[in-house]
Amino acid sequence: MGVRLLVLADTHVPKRARDLPPEIWDAVGEADAVVHAGDWVDVALLDRLQNATPQLIGVYGNNDGPLVRARLPEVAHAALAEVRLTVVHETGAAKGRESRADRGYPDTDLLIFGHSHIPWDSTSPGGMRLLNPGSPTDRRRQPYRTYLTLDLNAGRITAVQLHEMR
């Protein structure tokens, strides 16, 4: 059975935005699970997302305080539709990222990360898919605010879509 994921990171609510954009809340309602790769900033968003989705997989980021850190791990692991998923906030410099991921997460099919606000999609030498959704609230130097949706089925990533928001 397939699983639809909504992937977010670096929401920074309420510092960068008062709330997630309506498009994101619509996508939450359409997803089987939500993945958040850190920098929530406020525990209130964590509470709202937990109440709005059947499954939330999240980690804390460098901008998250003690309340968020008390409820979320630094690294999260899950298996969804037979895909082994790891979520972290930061993976270090872009150069060498794929090789570091292979060494650091050898039992992972899909590594989701945040921190840079820059969308990323690559595959490691070992076959691991690495994805960063960017940020739906703070585009920084990117042309758009972004997030990802993914479809997983029978141990495979069957679709990845980067959504750009103006």
Side-chain angles (χ1 to χ4, degrees), residues 4 12 20 25-26 32 35 41 45 56 69 71 77 85 87 90 92 109 112-113 119 131 143 146 156-157 159:
R4 165 57 65 109
H12 296 270
L20 296 177
W25 287 113
D26 291 345
D32 298 306
V35 175
V41 176
L45 179 60
L56 177 65
R69 288 172 184 246
R71 292 183 44 195
H77 302 279
L85 167 72
V87 184
E90 189 172 355
D109 302 312
I112 294 174
F113 64 98
L131 296 171
T146 57
R156 294 180 50 238
I157 302 164

Side-chain angles (χ1 to χ4, degrees), residues 19-146:
D19 194 6
L20 296 177
E23 180 177 337
I24 299 295
W25 287 113
D26 291 345
V28 169
E30 296 169 4
D32 298 306
V34 174
V35 175
H36 193 299
D39 277 1
W40 305 73
V41 176
D42 187 35
V43 75
L45 179 60
L46 172 57
D47 290 336
R48 288 182 64 206
L49 276 174
Q50 276 187 320
N51 290 329
T53 185
Q55 184 173 7
L56 177 65
I57 302 164
V59 298
Y60 66 79
N62 60 300
N63 284 296
D64 293 321
L67 294 177
V68 173
R69 288 172 184 246
R71 292 183 44 195
L72 295 173
E74 183 177 11
V75 179
H77 302 279
L80 300 170
E82 301 174 46
V83 174
R84 299 169 302 172
L85 167 72
T86 298
V87 184
V88 298
H89 182 62
E90 189 172 355
T91 59
K95 184 176 181 174
R97 178 175 284 144
E98 290 83 2
S99 295
R100 284 193 313 276
D102 277 342
R103 288 189 307 274
Y105 309 103
D107 296 323
T108 296
D109 302 312
L110 172 60
L111 178 65
I112 294 174
F113 64 98
H115 187 61
S116 67
H117 298 221
I118 299 170
W120 184 278
D121 185 350
S122 66
T123 302
S124 74
M128 179 191 314
R129 187 83 174 259
L130 288 80
L131 296 171
N132 183 329
S135 172
T137 57
D138 184 14
R139 65 182 180 88
R140 285 195 185 161
R141 295 172 299 280
Q142 300 305 301
Y144 304 103
R145 296 171 293 129
T146 57

Side-chain angles (χ1 to χ4, degrees), residues 2-4 83 129 150-161:
V3 174
R4 165 57 65 109
V83 174
R129 187 83 174 259
L150 299 159
D151 292 326
L152 309 176
N153 197 338
R156 294 180 50 238
I157 302 164
T158 56
V160 175
Q161 183 175 0

